[in-house]
Amino acid sequence: MEAELGTLAAQAATAVVGLAVTDAWLNMKHVRRRVTRWLSRRGADGELDAVRDELAAARRHGDEESAADRVAADWERRLLGILEDDPEAAEELRRLLAEVLPGTSYDIAFDVPSNEPAAPGAQPDQLPTLTGTFSNRIAELDRMDALCGAPGRVNLAVLAGLPGVGKTAIACRWADKERARFPDGLFYVDYGALRDESAVGPAMGPAMASQALASILRALLGSDAHVSERFEELRRQYLNHSRDRRMLVLIDNVTLAAQVRALIPAGHGSTVMVTSHTRLGELVAVDGAELIALEPLDTQGGLKLLTDQCGEAAVAAEPVAAEHLVDLCGGLPVALRIVATRLATGDAPSLTYLAQELADEAERLEGLSLPGGGYSLSAVLGPSYRLLPPAAARMFRLLGWLPAGLFDESVAAAAAGVDRRTARRLLRELAATSLLEIDRDGRYRVHDLVRLYARERAVTEERPAEETALIERVTTHYLVLAAFADRARRADRLRVADLTELLERATDPFSAPGGPAPLTWLDAECPAILAVLRAAVRHRLYGLAWPLAEAFTVLFLHHRHLGAWKESLSLGVEAAAAEAAAAEAADPAAGTGTAAEALAGEARLRSLLSRPLTDLGEHDAARTELERAVALAEPTDRLLLRASVQEFHGRHLERFAPARAVETYRYCLDLNRRAQDRRGEALALLFLGSALDAQGDHDQALALLGQARADLLNLPEPDGRMAARALRALGRVHAHREETDEAFQALEAAADSLKEHGAYSYEADALEDLADLAERTGRHPDRVRAWLTRALAIHEANGSLRVDVVRRRLEDLS
């Protein structure tokens, strides 16, 4: 065992010391990073810098060979001591050497290369060598041409974007294309490499700028004999020697404006091109830099990159898979290049295989890495994450668990458990580093792949229970707001969940002067609330999930997004049933409290669920939900709940058993009267009148519907929306009674009122009624197309089954 450790120590010492003094070491960032971390965790932090300094000094004195042997021997002893003290470190070191140095023979001898400045008179050219193909970014290259062509000044441009978006690639491509503009030298500084060499964490202050300045000056002068070691003197020398020169300085991986200012030359016509994951607002505002923000590629741009990397034949053979891959990679060039490399190297047999693998979010980050672990999307994003201050880093991690794709600062505050002012500050920090995007409406979004990386860091660094705690905070946040929005639309609606205590502790934003319109907010947040509902059920937060589904349904009563309505209510039913079962299991004798409320909630949500199911043509499923809702509600003493369930049951029976529907509505009317609920009574009259009209009892229907409309308009909080529905029903009765003028008048007024109240689905019904009446009577033939066109647009927006029917009617008009 001791011999094995000795051999491993000798091999590792030779490899690490050799790499530390070669140019290859400067270009292998992932190698440096992983080796440095391994050493730092074992008390050897920063010692590779000392190795480089010692060997560089030995080279200047002609003693490089013996110095290399001496340093390697010292490191072999150090490493052997580490391995003997920590046996687990041996296996980790073997994996490290195998992964970050694949194919390396650890007993080779390294030559210490010469690193002398360029010969005097030679044009310095430090640009990285261009390799591979370059795709897209034509507009950005043109803008760089325009920004950097002014001869009477020093041009300063900042290429900003999230890691992996291609900032360095486009900067190097432009610099290579424009070499002729800069006859006095092309200089390159990588602050990312300087940070890696300086310490495990970020190195700030003038030290890195001094190192960068000295490097440029040595190349500029062709000698290091007169290069100062003091920052102020270096800066003075740089300005003097660059004053009459036209040169390009490409500065990569900048994090601070000061890192750029030190390297701005004095010669007019020179250009400083900066890449950064931050937008460097100070450099833009104070120094006049032009900002060029790089966004991920769109679908066509992503397909172009895949075609360039994989070949036209490969993409043409699997076009659907190729487009899916662009979507899964979020248009991020580095991710698409990894995908292309995996295909080219045989690590994946086809684009379809890759698309299927990456479709699983849990596997996507692992799929976006090359064998050996040295190059991956996580490695690309890691440096930006590690530069974040602790509070911003925590916010970033927690956003990886946030179910919502778009979110505002209040949601982020809930997710992190901080106040809104703190959340705003942290979000601005993250947006400044391009790890967040700001949407047009002021909300934030995280690129899908960045979100997966944030989630990966959260799983690694946060306590195990934190994800569920976050989902609980966010679900509570949305429950409060959805409940306020529901109540802002109508205070006297039936609600099962008792949220009194929760809402008393919160401020209602919808009641404030200039507050958001409740339905507009719910519509904008619909995808987020659905995602939160899914997460809450997944984390078994049933007591929050079903009340949220109940409050959320107010949106769909006005805007019938049928798919979303069905899913939200299905999730609510699942949560209510699970909450009731859990409460009953905890206390089988309890007939009230949590279990009773959850069972009532289940009945309410099942009855509501029958509506989108019916509109989607799933009548058997709707009947099943209603039968279960009736069975749950009838044994209770909740008269209003029972009346509501019977109302929904009656509306289903109208389609299949009209006589039973009339009986059901009469029972519903009786329950509402016993509960002394005036609005419920008026609604029961409305539906009873419609059912009687369908059975041919038009006279009684006319009387009941007139009474229902009057009662709805005379409530303490008048219900104009339902009164408009009663007016539509009255128009249909007039049509059945051959009272054509009254029918047109009532239906047109109903359509206008329903539109005014945002009840677009019912507006479409009234418009179809008008078209039917016009075609039957031969009246208003010039208006039929407009009525049906408007109805079709509404049905298409809602995903209604009426789309094909109305479209055929419009085609027949042609």
Side-chain angles (χ1 to χ4, degrees):
M1 180 66 176
E2 185 176 343
E4 290 182 13
L5 293 179
T7 300
L8 179 61
Q11 292 173 335
T14 305
V16 172
V17 173
L19 276 175
V21 295
T22 62
D23 284 339
W25 177 250
L26 294 177
N27 295 322
M28 299 171 71
K29 297 179 184 178
H30 70 282
V31 175
R32 296 199 311 274
R33 194 175 297 121
R34 297 190 66 185
V35 171
T36 301
R37 284 204 203 106
W38 188 90
L39 292 170
S40 176
R41 289 198 299 269
R42 287 156 182 92
D45 192 5
E47 294 194 18
L48 285 178
D49 291 333
V51 171
R52 288 179 58 79
D53 293 343
E54 182 176 349
L55 290 174
R59 183 177 61 251
R60 288 194 295 271
H61 293 89
D63 190 28
E64 55 191 288
E65 184 173 344
S66 61
D69 291 341
R70 183 174 65 255
V71 171
D74 288 344
W75 268 93
E76 181 179 341
R77 286 191 294 273
R78 289 289 313 280
L79 290 170
L80 181 58
I82 290 173
L83 298 175
E84 288 174 341
D85 292 339
D86 184 4
E88 292 184 3
E91 184 58 33
E92 186 178 351
L93 182 58
R94 287 191 187 93
R95 289 198 306 270
L96 177 62
L97 292 174
E99 291 177 10
V100 302
L101 304 172
T104 302
S105 174
Y106 302 124
D107 58 356
I108 62 173
F110 288 89
D111 293 327
V112 180
S114 173
N115 194 27
E116 295 299 322
Q123 183 200 41
D125 186 347
Q126 298 179 334
L127 291 183
T129 302
L130 293 176
T131 59
T133 59
F134 182 80
S135 303
N136 303 293
R137 304 302 192 190
I138 303 302
E140 289 86 350
L141 287 169
D142 289 345
R143 188 174 174 206
M144 292 163 73
D145 286 344
L147 292 177
C148 301
R153 64 177 187 182
V154 176
N155 304 294
L156 181 57
V158 176
L159 282 167
L162 70 124
V165 81
K167 302 181 293 293
T168 301
I170 188 175
C172 290
R173 181 65 54 173
W174 181 85
D176 184 69
K177 179 174 72 76
E178 300 298 325
R179 287 174 178 274
R181 287 195 190 189
F182 308 106
D184 299 312
L186 305 146
F187 303 92
Y188 176 75
V189 172
D190 182 3
Y191 275 111
L194 293 177
R195 278 191 295 274
D196 287 342
E197 291 173 6
S198 299
V200 176
M204 302 301 179
M208 282 194 296
S210 295
Q211 193 173 348
L213 267 175
S215 172
I216 294 177
L217 272 171
R218 282 194 292 268
L220 193 63
L221 300 175
S223 168
D224 60 1
H226 302 290
V227 175
S228 174
E229 295 182 358
R230 294 175 56 249
F231 175 77
E232 294 80 4
E233 183 61 22
L234 281 170
R235 178 65 181 152
R236 187 190 64 77
Q237 288 179 304
Y238 180 58
L239 291 175
N240 285 339
H241 289 291
S242 64
R243 193 169 305 282
D244 296 321
R245 301 175 189 261
R246 195 161 73 248
M247 48 197 274
L248 169 69
V249 183
L250 175 52
I251 315 175
D252 215 357
N253 294 304
V254 170
T255 57
L256 298 171
Q259 295 169 343
V260 176
R261 289 194 183 107
L263 305 185
I264 298 176
H268 287 180
S270 294
T271 290
V272 178
M273 183 67 64
V274 178
T275 77
S276 177
H277 62 272
T278 74
R279 298 197 171 218
L280 297 176
E282 182 183 343
L283 207 63
V284 173
V286 177
D287 300 273
E290 296 284 351
L291 176 64
I292 303 174
L294 286 189
E295 303 293 340
L297 301 172
D298 60 17
T299 300
Q300 291 306 310
L303 288 173
K304 174 68 165 59
L305 190 153
L306 276 183
T307 299
D308 290 344
Q309 297 292 311
C310 302
E312 188 172 347
V315 174
E318 302 178 88
V320 175
E323 188 166 335
H324 193 197
L325 280 170
V326 173
D327 182 56
L328 290 169
C329 292
L332 198 61
V334 66
L336 290 167
R337 289 183 182 276
I338 291 173
V339 164
T341 302
R342 288 191 59 195
L343 184 69
T345 58
D347 186 47
S350 66
L351 295 175
T352 299
Y353 174 92
L354 282 165
Q356 291 172 345
E357 179 185 340
L358 298 185
D360 183 355
E361 278 197 352
E363 304 294 331
R364 195 172 303 165
L365 281 186
E366 184 176 345
L368 291 174
S369 63
L370 298 182
Y375 189 71
S376 66
L377 184 63
S378 294
V380 171
L381 296 171
S384 295
Y385 168 68
R386 287 190 293 275
L387 286 172
L388 294 173
R394 178 177 180 269
M395 174 66 84
F396 176 71
R397 292 193 299 272
L398 296 181
L399 292 179
W401 276 328
L402 189 65
L406 269 176
F407 57 91
D408 63 17
E409 63 189 36
S410 66
V411 176
V418 298
D419 60 69
R420 284 186 61 175
R421 178 178 295 182
T422 300
R424 185 184 306 123
R425 175 177 58 80
L426 297 176
L427 291 173
R428 290 182 63 188
E429 288 185 43
L430 293 175
T433 63
S434 300
L435 292 172
L436 273 186
E437 304 167 33
I438 303 179
D439 209 54
R440 292 180 180 179
D441 62 6
R443 289 183 293 176
Y444 297 85
R445 72 168 72 243
V446 185
H447 187 281
D448 284 347
L449 296 180
V450 178
R451 176 177 53 82
L452 292 178
Y453 175 73
R455 184 183 302 171
E456 179 185 82
R457 301 317 317 148
V459 170
T460 301
E461 300 180 37
E462 295 293 330
R463 60 188 179 89
E466 182 59 34
E467 182 180 5
T468 299
L470 178 147
I471 299 300
E472 183 174 4
R473 292 192 296 268
V474 172
T475 306
T476 302
H477 171 82
Y478 275 109
L479 172 57
V480 168
L481 290 178
F484 277 136
D486 177 27
R487 285 153 177 77
R489 284 300 302 175
R490 182 141 210 105
D492 59 358
R493 195 191 319 278
L494 170 65
R495 299 174 183 90
V496 173
D498 183 3
L499 303 178
T500 305
E501 184 178 346
L502 183 64
L503 299 185
E504 283 177 348
R505 303 196 305 265
T507 302
D508 181 1
F510 303 102
S511 64
L519 292 182
T520 302
W521 179 82
L522 285 167
D523 222 4
E525 292 284 5
C526 183
I529 296 175
L530 268 177
V532 168
L533 267 172
R534 296 185 200 110
V537 172
R538 191 170 61 250
H539 286 265
R540 302 183 179 184
L541 299 169
Y542 304 128
L544 293 172
W546 77 259
L548 176 55
E550 183 186 28
F552 189 29
T553 208
V554 66
L555 170 65
F556 307 111
L557 294 173
H558 295 80
H559 301 171
R560 298 174 86 83
H561 308 314
L562 296 176
W565 194 9
K566 175 185 172 182
E567 183 184 2
S568 67
L569 288 170
S570 297
L571 289 165
V573 166
E574 179 184 348
E579 177 79 351
E584 288 175 340
D587 185 3
T592 58
T594 300
E597 185 175 79
L599 286 172
E602 182 184 351
R604 170 71 168 156
L605 293 170
R606 286 187 185 276
S607 65
L608 286 165
L609 180 55
S610 69
R611 294 309 302 154
L613 290 174
T614 297
D615 289 351
L616 290 167
E618 300 177 33
H619 300 298
D620 289 342
R623 183 179 64 253
T624 299
E625 295 297 336
L626 285 164
E627 289 173 350
R628 178 60 178 156
V630 169
L632 289 168
E634 278 302 301
T636 74
D637 59 357
R638 295 172 180 253
L639 295 176
L640 290 180
L641 172 64
R642 290 162 59 190
S644 177
V645 169
Q646 292 296 336
E647 176 194 308
F648 283 107
H649 193 205
R651 293 167 74 178
H652 176 76
L653 290 172
E654 278 189 63
R655 293 173 175 264
F656 304 104
R660 283 187 59 199
V662 171
E663 295 174 7
T664 300
Y665 286 137
R666 291 192 190 282
Y667 178 43
C668 173
L669 179 61
D670 177 63
L671 289 169
N672 278 298
R673 284 174 173 166
R674 287 162 58 189
Q676 299 183 349
D677 185 82
R678 290 177 56 191
R679 181 172 181 271
E681 184 178 344
L683 293 178
L685 289 171
L686 164 59
F687 294 117
L688 177 58
S690 296
L692 289 169
D693 180 46
Q695 286 195 291
D697 192 347
H698 307 310
D699 292 341
Q700 188 176 2
L702 192 66
L704 292 179
L705 289 169
Q707 181 184 345
R709 181 167 183 263
D711 289 348
L712 288 164
L713 291 174
N714 289 319
L715 291 171
E717 182 185 351
D719 193 338
R721 174 176 171 273
M722 293 307 297
R725 289 181 61 184
L727 184 58
R728 180 219 169 196
L730 282 166
R732 290 170 61 86
V733 174
H734 285 302
H736 294 150
R737 288 163 57 96
E738 303 298 332
E739 298 166 352
T740 304
D741 289 339
E742 291 86 344
F744 272 115
Q745 182 180 357
L747 289 171
E748 287 194 77
D752 291 342
S753 182
L754 289 165
K755 181 178 182 180
E756 180 184 346
H757 285 89
Y760 302 119
S761 177
Y762 295 110
E763 177 200 352
D765 292 339
L767 292 170
E768 286 193 66
D769 289 338
L770 283 165
D772 291 341
L773 184 60
E775 290 179 341
R776 190 170 69 250
T777 62
R779 305 266 295 271
H780 307 299
D782 55 325
R783 302 180 65 186
V784 172
R785 179 175 295 280
W787 286 331
L788 291 178
T789 300
R790 168 67 180 166
L792 177 61
I794 294 170
H795 289 319
E796 287 177 334
N798 290 341
S800 170
L801 295 180
R802 298 287 302 167
V803 167
D804 291 339
V805 175
V806 178
R807 185 178 288 127
R808 281 195 298 270
R809 292 186 66 177
L810 280 167
E811 291 171 355
D812 291 343
L813 290 177
S814 303

